[in-house]
Amino acid sequence: MTGKRVLVTGAAGFLGSHLCDRFIAEGAEVIGMDNLITGDLKNIPIDYLKIPIQTLKVGSLGTHNLLGLAKAKNARILVASTSEIYGDPEEHPQKETYWGHVNPIGPRGVYDEAKRFQEAITMAYHRFHGLETRIVRIFNTYGPRMRLNDGRVLPAFIGQALRGENFTVFGDGSQTRSFCYVDDLVEGIYRLLLSDFAEPVNVGNPDEITIREFADEIVELTGAKTKIIYEDLPHDDPKKRRPDITLAKKVLGWEPKVDRSEGLRRTLAYFKTLDMDELYKKEHKHFDKFIKR
Ligand code: UDP
Protein backbone atom coordinates (compact mmCIF):
# COMPACT_ATOMS: atom_id res chain seq x y z
CA MET A 1 0.00 0.00 0.00
CA THR A 2 3.01 2.31 0.23
CA GLY A 3 2.57 5.21 -2.17
CA LYS A 4 -1.16 4.58 -2.44
CA ARG A 5 -3.80 7.05 -1.29
CA VAL A 6 -7.00 5.63 0.20
CA LEU A 7 -10.23 7.58 0.82
CA VAL A 8 -12.33 6.08 3.63
CA THR A 9 -15.88 7.44 3.88
CA GLY A 10 -17.50 7.21 7.30
CA ALA A 11 -13.98 7.21 8.75
CA ALA A 12 -15.11 8.30 12.22
CA GLY A 13 -17.53 5.40 12.55
CA PHE A 14 -17.01 1.92 13.94
CA LEU A 15 -15.89 0.01 10.83
CA GLY A 16 -14.44 3.05 9.06
CA SER A 17 -12.05 3.81 11.90
CA HIS A 18 -10.82 0.19 12.00
CA LEU A 19 -10.30 0.25 8.22
CA CYS A 20 -8.25 3.46 8.53
CA ASP A 21 -6.03 1.77 11.13
CA ARG A 22 -5.42 -1.13 8.77
CA PHE A 23 -4.57 1.01 5.73
CA ILE A 24 -2.23 3.18 7.80
CA ALA A 25 -0.50 0.03 9.14
CA GLU A 26 -0.07 -1.12 5.50
CA GLY A 27 1.70 2.16 4.66
CA ALA A 28 -1.07 3.88 2.71
CA GLU A 29 -1.84 7.59 2.87
CA VAL A 30 -5.37 7.73 4.29
CA ILE A 31 -7.94 10.47 3.84
CA GLY A 32 -10.90 10.13 6.19
CA MET A 33 -14.27 11.64 5.35
CA ASP A 34 -17.17 11.84 7.80
CA ASN A 35 -20.11 14.19 8.47
CA LEU A 36 -19.92 13.26 12.17
CA ILE A 37 -23.67 12.73 12.47
CA THR A 38 -23.15 9.30 13.99
CA GLY A 39 -19.37 9.22 13.97
CA ASP A 40 -17.16 10.59 16.70
CA LEU A 41 -13.90 12.55 16.41
CA LYS A 42 -12.24 10.16 18.91
CA ASN A 43 -12.84 7.33 17.00
CA ILE A 44 -22.80 4.56 13.46
CA PRO A 45 -27.35 2.61 13.62
CA ILE A 46 -31.32 2.24 15.36
CA ASP A 47 -29.65 5.37 14.08
CA TYR A 48 -30.81 4.79 10.52
CA LEU A 49 -34.43 4.71 11.60
CA LYS A 50 -34.10 8.16 13.15
CA ILE A 51 -32.54 9.62 10.01
CA PRO A 52 -34.41 7.81 7.21
CA ILE A 53 -33.89 10.40 4.47
CA GLN A 54 -30.16 10.70 5.14
CA THR A 55 -29.95 6.91 5.16
CA LEU A 56 -31.57 6.71 1.72
CA LYS A 57 -29.46 9.54 0.36
CA VAL A 58 -26.09 8.28 1.52
CA GLY A 59 -26.69 4.80 0.09
CA SER A 60 -27.97 6.13 -3.25
CA LEU A 61 -26.74 9.68 -3.99
CA GLY A 62 -23.64 9.28 -1.80
CA THR A 63 -22.66 6.11 -3.63
CA HIS A 64 -23.32 7.80 -6.98
CA ASN A 65 -21.01 10.69 -6.02
CA LEU A 66 -18.23 8.33 -5.01
CA LEU A 67 -18.55 6.20 -8.13
CA GLY A 68 -18.21 9.42 -10.13
CA LEU A 69 -15.13 10.38 -8.14
CA ALA A 70 -13.60 6.92 -8.60
CA LYS A 71 -14.23 7.14 -12.35
CA ALA A 72 -12.65 10.62 -12.57
CA LYS A 73 -9.60 9.48 -10.57
CA ASN A 74 -9.34 6.11 -12.28
CA ALA A 75 -9.49 4.57 -8.80
CA ARG A 76 -10.66 1.20 -7.54
CA ILE A 77 -13.73 1.45 -5.29
CA LEU A 78 -14.96 -0.98 -2.67
CA VAL A 79 -18.52 -0.41 -1.49
CA ALA A 80 -19.80 -1.62 1.86
CA SER A 81 -23.02 -3.52 1.27
CA THR A 82 -24.82 -5.57 3.88
CA SER A 83 -26.61 -8.80 4.72
CA GLU A 84 -29.69 -6.53 4.97
CA ILE A 85 -30.03 -6.79 1.18
CA TYR A 86 -31.26 -10.36 1.84
CA GLY A 87 -34.06 -8.93 4.05
CA ASP A 88 -35.94 -11.53 6.10
CA PRO A 89 -34.37 -14.42 4.19
CA GLU A 90 -36.23 -17.48 2.88
CA GLU A 91 -32.93 -19.15 2.03
CA HIS A 92 -30.68 -20.22 4.88
CA PRO A 93 -27.75 -19.77 5.14
CA GLN A 94 -27.55 -16.92 2.64
CA LYS A 95 -25.43 -17.35 -0.47
CA GLU A 96 -24.50 -14.45 -2.75
CA THR A 97 -26.82 -15.90 -5.42
CA TYR A 98 -29.90 -15.32 -3.21
CA TRP A 99 -31.91 -12.26 -4.34
CA GLY A 100 -33.47 -11.50 -1.01
CA HIS A 101 -36.86 -10.89 0.60
CA VAL A 102 -37.11 -7.18 1.39
CA ASN A 103 -40.13 -5.00 2.25
CA PRO A 104 -39.53 -1.83 0.19
CA ILE A 105 -42.01 0.35 2.12
CA GLY A 106 -41.42 -0.69 5.73
CA PRO A 107 -39.32 1.49 8.07
CA ARG A 108 -36.29 -0.73 7.46
CA GLY A 109 -36.68 -0.28 3.68
CA VAL A 110 -34.82 3.05 3.79
CA TYR A 111 -31.65 1.16 4.59
CA ASP A 112 -32.25 -2.11 2.74
CA GLU A 113 -33.42 -0.57 -0.54
CA ALA A 114 -30.68 2.10 -0.54
CA LYS A 115 -28.15 -0.69 -0.17
CA ARG A 116 -29.76 -2.70 -2.96
CA PHE A 117 -29.67 0.39 -5.19
CA GLN A 118 -26.03 0.85 -4.17
CA GLU A 119 -25.18 -2.62 -5.45
CA ALA A 120 -27.12 -2.02 -8.69
CA ILE A 121 -25.43 1.29 -9.49
CA THR A 122 -22.02 -0.12 -8.57
CA MET A 123 -22.45 -3.05 -10.99
CA ALA A 124 -23.70 -0.61 -13.68
CA TYR A 125 -20.56 1.53 -13.32
CA HIS A 126 -18.52 -1.65 -13.49
CA ARG A 127 -20.25 -2.97 -16.60
CA PHE A 128 -20.91 0.31 -18.45
CA HIS A 129 -17.81 2.33 -17.53
CA GLY A 130 -15.40 -0.54 -16.84
CA LEU A 131 -14.77 0.84 -13.34
CA GLU A 132 -12.87 -1.43 -10.98
CA THR A 133 -15.47 -2.14 -8.30
CA ARG A 134 -15.69 -4.48 -5.29
CA ILE A 135 -18.80 -5.17 -3.20
CA VAL A 136 -18.62 -6.62 0.29
CA ARG A 137 -21.82 -7.85 1.95
CA ILE A 138 -21.10 -7.29 5.61
CA PHE A 139 -22.91 -9.43 8.19
CA ASN A 140 -23.38 -8.35 11.83
CA THR A 141 -20.02 -7.17 13.10
CA TYR A 142 -18.93 -6.17 16.59
CA GLY A 143 -15.89 -4.98 18.47
CA PRO A 144 -14.27 -2.00 20.15
CA ARG A 145 -15.49 1.50 19.15
CA MET A 146 -19.10 0.55 18.52
CA ARG A 147 -21.36 3.33 19.71
CA LEU A 148 -23.08 2.50 22.92
CA ASN A 149 -26.51 3.65 21.78
CA ASP A 150 -26.42 2.82 18.06
CA GLY A 151 -29.34 0.46 18.69
CA ARG A 152 -27.43 -2.69 17.86
CA VAL A 153 -27.81 -5.61 20.16
CA LEU A 154 -24.26 -5.99 21.42
CA PRO A 155 -23.62 -2.46 22.67
CA ALA A 156 -27.20 -2.44 24.02
CA PHE A 157 -26.59 -5.55 26.15
CA ILE A 158 -23.10 -4.57 27.25
CA GLY A 159 -24.24 -1.06 28.17
CA GLN A 160 -27.20 -2.47 30.11
CA ALA A 161 -24.94 -4.96 31.91
CA LEU A 162 -22.41 -2.33 32.92
CA ARG A 163 -25.07 0.14 34.06
CA GLY A 164 -26.91 -2.56 36.02
CA GLU A 165 -30.07 -2.23 33.90
CA ASN A 166 -32.30 -5.04 32.60
CA PHE A 167 -31.59 -6.52 29.15
CA THR A 168 -34.08 -5.62 26.41
CA VAL A 169 -34.70 -8.64 24.19
CA PHE A 170 -36.94 -7.86 21.22
CA GLY A 171 -39.59 -10.45 20.35
CA ASP A 172 -39.12 -13.84 22.05
CA GLY A 173 -35.38 -13.81 21.37
CA SER A 174 -35.58 -16.85 19.06
CA GLN A 175 -34.36 -14.84 16.07
CA THR A 176 -30.76 -15.59 15.09
CA ARG A 177 -27.73 -13.61 14.02
CA SER A 178 -24.12 -14.59 13.29
CA PHE A 179 -21.61 -12.18 14.78
CA CYS A 180 -18.21 -11.44 13.27
CA TYR A 181 -15.35 -9.83 15.18
CA VAL A 182 -14.17 -6.59 13.56
CA ASP A 183 -10.56 -7.68 12.95
CA ASP A 184 -11.78 -10.64 10.91
CA LEU A 185 -14.07 -8.37 8.89
CA VAL A 186 -11.27 -5.89 8.17
CA GLU A 187 -9.03 -8.73 6.95
CA GLY A 188 -11.80 -9.95 4.62
CA ILE A 189 -12.41 -6.44 3.24
CA TYR A 190 -8.71 -5.85 2.75
CA ARG A 191 -8.33 -9.09 0.80
CA LEU A 192 -11.39 -8.31 -1.32
CA LEU A 193 -10.06 -4.88 -2.22
CA LEU A 194 -6.79 -6.41 -3.42
CA SER A 195 -8.56 -9.21 -5.32
CA ASP A 196 -9.88 -8.94 -8.86
CA PHE A 197 -13.39 -10.13 -7.96
CA ALA A 198 -16.14 -7.68 -8.96
CA GLU A 199 -19.23 -9.64 -7.86
CA PRO A 200 -20.57 -9.26 -4.27
CA VAL A 201 -18.89 -11.37 -1.58
CA ASN A 202 -20.33 -12.23 1.86
CA VAL A 203 -17.94 -11.48 4.72
CA GLY A 204 -19.14 -12.63 8.11
CA ASN A 205 -18.86 -15.35 10.71
CA PRO A 206 -21.22 -18.34 10.17
CA ASP A 207 -21.36 -19.08 13.91
CA GLU A 208 -25.14 -18.56 14.40
CA ILE A 209 -26.81 -17.91 17.76
CA THR A 210 -30.27 -16.88 18.99
CA ILE A 211 -30.55 -13.44 20.59
CA ARG A 212 -31.75 -15.10 23.79
CA GLU A 213 -28.60 -17.26 23.93
CA PHE A 214 -26.54 -14.21 23.12
CA ALA A 215 -28.05 -12.38 26.11
CA ASP A 216 -27.15 -15.36 28.32
CA GLU A 217 -23.55 -15.25 27.08
CA ILE A 218 -23.24 -11.57 27.93
CA VAL A 219 -24.75 -12.10 31.38
CA GLU A 220 -22.17 -14.82 31.96
CA LEU A 221 -19.28 -12.76 30.60
CA THR A 222 -20.08 -9.62 32.58
CA GLY A 223 -21.37 -11.33 35.72
CA ALA A 224 -24.28 -8.88 35.54
CA LYS A 225 -27.17 -9.50 37.90
CA THR A 226 -29.81 -8.37 35.44
CA LYS A 227 -33.18 -9.69 34.31
CA ILE A 228 -34.33 -10.01 30.71
CA ILE A 229 -37.34 -7.96 29.72
CA TYR A 230 -39.13 -8.72 26.45
CA GLU A 231 -40.12 -5.87 24.12
CA ASP A 232 -41.88 -5.77 20.74
CA LEU A 233 -39.94 -7.09 17.77
CA PRO A 234 -39.06 -4.24 15.38
CA HIS A 235 -40.89 -4.17 12.02
CA ASP A 236 -39.42 -6.63 9.47
CA ASP A 237 -36.74 -7.84 11.88
CA PRO A 238 -35.13 -10.81 10.09
CA LYS A 239 -35.92 -14.14 11.81
CA LYS A 240 -32.62 -15.71 10.94
CA ARG A 241 -29.32 -14.76 9.39
CA ARG A 242 -26.16 -16.67 8.67
CA PRO A 243 -23.62 -16.09 5.91
CA ASP A 244 -22.57 -18.83 3.53
CA ILE A 245 -18.88 -17.96 3.16
CA THR A 246 -17.92 -20.61 0.59
CA LEU A 247 -17.22 -17.87 -1.96
CA ALA A 248 -14.99 -15.81 0.39
CA LYS A 249 -12.99 -18.93 1.25
CA LYS A 250 -12.53 -19.71 -2.45
CA VAL A 251 -11.72 -16.30 -3.92
CA LEU A 252 -10.11 -14.59 -0.90
CA GLY A 253 -8.68 -17.54 1.03
CA TRP A 254 -10.47 -15.94 3.99
CA GLU A 255 -12.36 -17.23 6.97
CA PRO A 256 -12.91 -15.78 10.45
CA LYS A 257 -10.30 -16.57 13.11
CA VAL A 258 -11.64 -14.97 16.30
CA ASP A 259 -14.36 -16.98 18.03
CA ARG A 260 -17.17 -15.26 19.91
CA SER A 261 -15.84 -15.82 23.42
CA GLU A 262 -12.52 -14.20 22.53
CA GLY A 263 -14.15 -11.39 20.54
CA LEU A 264 -16.62 -10.62 23.33
CA ARG A 265 -13.81 -10.60 25.89
CA ARG A 266 -11.86 -8.03 23.84
CA THR A 267 -14.99 -5.94 23.26
CA LEU A 268 -15.96 -5.91 26.92
CA ALA A 269 -12.43 -4.86 27.87
CA TYR A 270 -12.84 -1.83 25.58
CA PHE A 271 -16.24 -0.83 26.98
CA LYS A 272 -14.93 -1.12 30.53
CA THR A 273 -12.43 1.66 29.82
CA LEU A 274 -15.31 4.09 29.15
CA ASP A 275 -17.44 6.08 31.53
CA MET A 276 -20.76 4.59 30.43
CA ASP A 277 -23.16 7.10 31.97
CA GLU A 278 -21.28 10.10 30.65
CA LEU A 279 -20.87 8.58 27.23
CA TYR A 280 -24.49 7.51 26.96
CA LYS A 281 -25.70 11.02 27.75
CA LYS A 282 -23.16 12.63 25.45
CA GLU A 283 -24.04 10.36 22.54
CA HIS A 284 -27.73 11.10 22.92
CA LYS A 285 -27.19 14.84 23.09
CA HIS A 286 -24.86 14.84 20.11
CA PHE A 287 -27.11 12.69 17.95
CA ASP A 288 -30.39 14.40 18.87
CA LYS A 289 -29.08 17.64 17.30
CA PHE A 290 -29.28 16.05 13.87
CA ILE A 291 -32.75 14.58 13.92
CA LYS A 292 -34.91 17.68 14.24
CA ARG A 293 -37.08 17.98 11.16
N1 UDP B 1 -32.17 -6.72 19.64
C1 UDP B 1 -32.64 -7.00 20.93
N2 UDP B 1 -32.45 -6.07 21.91
C2 UDP B 1 -31.80 -4.87 21.69
C3 UDP B 1 -31.33 -4.59 20.37
C4 UDP B 1 -31.52 -5.53 19.37
O1 UDP B 1 -33.23 -8.08 21.17
O2 UDP B 1 -31.68 -4.08 22.63
C5 UDP B 1 -32.37 -7.73 18.57
C6 UDP B 1 -32.95 -7.19 17.25
O3 UDP B 1 -34.39 -7.18 17.27
C7 UDP B 1 -32.40 -8.20 16.24
C8 UDP B 1 -31.05 -8.61 16.84
O4 UDP B 1 -31.09 -8.24 18.23
O5 UDP B 1 -33.23 -9.35 16.16
C9 UDP B 1 -29.84 -7.90 16.20
O6 UDP B 1 -30.13 -6.51 16.17
P1 UDP B 1 -29.07 -5.48 15.59
O7 UDP B 1 -29.78 -4.15 15.55
O8 UDP B 1 -27.83 -5.59 16.37
O9 UDP B 1 -28.73 -5.98 14.13
P2 UDP B 1 -29.66 -6.33 12.84
O10 UDP B 1 -31.12 -6.48 13.27
O11 UDP B 1 -29.46 -5.20 11.92
O12 UDP B 1 -29.13 -7.61 12.36
Side-chain angles (χ1 to χ4, degrees):
M1 280 280 148
T2 309
K4 297 254 192 268
R5 181 182 292 167
V6 180
L7 170 67
V8 178
T9 58
F14 164 51
L15 295 180
S17 70
H18 283 277
L19 278 171
C20 290
D21 287 349
R22 175 62 184 263
F23 286 120
I24 290 165
E26 298 286 345
E29 180 193 337
V30 176
I31 300 174
M33 188 172 124
D34 204 294
N35 64 9
L36 301 179
I37 291 191
T38 63
D40 188 295
L41 278 173
K42 280 198 271 81
N43 93 62
I44 274 182
I46 220 155
D47 289 1
Y48 74 85
L49 291 174
K50 295 186 193 159
I51 45 171
I53 316 280
Q54 287 97 327
T55 300
L56 276 161
K57 283 168 77 175
V58 72
S60 54
L61 308 180
T63 301
H64 182 210
N65 288 340
L66 284 165
L67 287 164
L69 180 65
K71 181 166 160 268
K73 298 283 178 191
N74 212 3
R76 183 178 299 185
I77 182 168
L78 181 141
V79 303
S81 185
T82 166
S83 54
E84 283 287 325
I85 63 105
Y86 299 123
D88 187 9
E90 292 157 311
E91 176 181 302
H92 193 73
Q94 295 80 50
K95 280 198 278 295
E96 288 84 349
T97 45
Y98 179 51
W99 291 352
H101 181 222
V102 170
N103 175 0
I105 57 165
R108 218 172 170 110
V110 297
Y111 185 63
D112 300 4
E113 293 296 0
K115 286 300 200 179
R116 291 171 66 91
F117 174 87
Q118 176 185 57
E119 290 201 5
I121 192 170
T122 300
M123 289 308 293
Y125 266 72
H126 174 66
R127 295 194 181 106
F128 190 75
H129 290 309
L131 191 67
E132 274 205 64
T133 57
R134 308 284 178 267
I135 300 175
V136 58
R137 291 188 180 150
I138 300 173
F139 283 65
N140 298 67
T141 303
Y142 69 97
R145 301 185 204 159
M146 290 185 96
R147 282 185 47 237
L148 210 46
N149 63 342
D150 70 4
R152 288 166 173 156
V153 66
L154 176 124
F157 287 171
I158 288 192
Q160 287 158 347
L162 295 181
R163 291 189 304 269
E165 296 169 3
N166 293 328
F167 280 28
T168 50
V169 165
F170 300 161
D172 63 4
S174 64
Q175 69 273 31
T176 68
R177 294 294 185 273
S178 308
F179 297 97
C180 183
Y181 188 66
V182 63
D183 290 3
D184 283 331
L185 183 90
V186 166
E187 179 65 29
I189 290 180
Y190 190 73
R191 287 182 187 215
L192 178 60
L193 179 66
L194 298 190
S195 79
D196 57 8
F197 199 77
E199 306 272 317
V201 181
N202 289 341
V203 176
N205 189 321
D207 187 1
E208 183 181 2
I209 186 175
T210 68
I211 295 306
R212 180 58 215 253
E213 289 164 340
F214 192 55
D216 290 342
E217 283 191 3
I218 299 204
V219 167
E220 171 135 7
L221 179 79
T222 56
K225 295 193 177 30
T226 49
K227 285 197 310 222
I228 290 179
I229 49 173
Y230 292 88
E231 293 186 358
D232 288 348
L233 194 65
H235 228 266
D236 301 325
D237 198 88
K239 284 181 264 320
K240 49 189 185 305
R241 182 183 289 154
R242 174 186 184 179
D244 183 315
I245 57 166
T246 309
L247 185 64
K249 283 183 179 159
K250 191 168 144 226
V251 300
L252 310 177
W254 175 89
E255 64 184 325
K257 297 265 184 289
V258 181
D259 66 22
R260 204 168 49 245
S261 66
E262 174 61 18
L264 287 178
R265 209 184 47 73
R266 292 189 204 170
T267 307
L268 179 66
Y270 161 78
F271 278 110
K272 277 189 162 165
T273 65
L274 308 175
D275 180 336
M276 302 303 246
D277 290 331
E278 267 309 300
L279 199 68
Y280 195 69
K281 274 186 238 145
K282 198 180 118 222
E283 279 186 10
H284 268 289
K285 232 169 128 189
H286 174 73
F287 190 63
D288 286 349
K289 283 196 303 227
F290 293 96
I291 56 175
K292 294 206 183 73
R293 287 182 186 89

